[in-house]
Amino acid sequence: MTDLAFTIRSAKADDLETLNDLMYELHQYHHQAVPEDFKSADEVQQEKSIARYLDSPECLVLVLTVDGAEPSANPIVGFITAQFCELLSPISRPCLVGNIDELFVLPSYRQHGYGQALLAKAELRLRELGASQILVEVWDFNQAALDLYKKEGFFSHIHCLRKKI
């Protein structure tokens, strides 16, 4: 953990430009890791905006700010997005769940517990909404994310396998 003071709060419309920049970095990371599977960040940005999360009562966007972060005008160094919904399936019992869609912390601020803090705050908010479970999808190449989620008590419940033909 770091001794830098941080705050986690709900995102506001004023945060949109910074959030879109952070989302761009996240999607560029995925594209660079597996370009044959992931669209470029430019392509994703044309189709998806974090603004839709801000406008939806079923969605949650939290930002993490650090005192003294650069640039000092906008100290947002990480964010998490989640959706709250009822999971309906013909084979399993219905339940209220939270889905983590994105979790990102700027590389220079990683390894200080900020991802854990964002995840814990999202879990608290989703529990307040009535969620009894949290789901997240993580690609195999993203070992750091897998390690974080496992450390926070997430476990595999379905194995999604793929074969290219």
Side-chain angles (χ1 to χ4, degrees):
M1 214 51 169
T2 183
D3 32 342
L4 291 176
F6 68 92
T7 302
I8 297 175
R9 61 172 172 77
S10 294
K12 304 176 289 201
D14 292 351
D15 300 325
L16 206 48
E17 184 177 344
T18 300
L19 287 169
N20 282 329
D21 291 344
L22 294 174
M23 179 103 64
Y24 185 94
E25 278 195 56
L26 172 65
H27 291 292
Q28 192 62 16
Y29 168 73
H30 285 99
H31 175 70
Q32 288 173 340
V34 190
E36 64 273 13
D37 289 338
F38 289 98
K39 294 178 181 179
S40 71
D42 289 321
E43 291 172 300
V44 173
Q45 212 165 37
Q46 289 176 12
E47 297 176 22
K48 180 180 182 179
S49 171
I50 204 162
R52 74 176 176 86
Y53 285 88
L54 295 178
D55 295 338
S56 174
E58 293 87 28
C59 294
L60 170 68
V61 182
L62 302 175
V63 297
L64 186 138
T65 61
V66 173
D67 294 348
E70 293 298 326
S72 57
N74 198 343
I76 295 173
V77 302
F79 75 98
I80 190 168
T81 63
Q83 296 182 53
F84 174 73
C85 64
E86 184 174 15
L87 181 64
L88 298 173
S89 163
I91 60 170
S92 62
R93 298 184 193 285
C95 67
L96 298 175
V97 299
N99 288 304
I100 303 295
D101 289 331
E102 286 105 1
L103 171 59
F104 182 77
V105 174
L106 286 169
S108 59
Y109 289 91
R110 293 180 186 163
Q111 301 300 316
H112 296 288
Y114 299 137
Q116 286 174 287
L118 281 163
L119 195 54
K121 185 64 122 179
E123 181 178 333
L124 176 67
R125 294 271 184 91
L126 291 166
R127 188 179 313 121
E128 289 169 351
L129 289 170
S132 61
Q133 297 180 35
I134 298 177
L135 305 174
V136 65
E137 293 179 6
V138 182
W139 292 84
D140 279 341
F141 74 85
N142 196 344
Q143 194 59 53
L146 285 166
D147 291 345
L148 169 65
Y149 289 114
K150 286 178 183 176
K151 182 178 179 181
E152 294 305 307
F154 286 74
F155 58 91
S156 293
H157 72 107
I158 294 173
H159 293 274
C160 181
L161 307 174
R162 174 168 66 176
K163 177 181 177 181
K164 292 186 179 188
I165 56 172

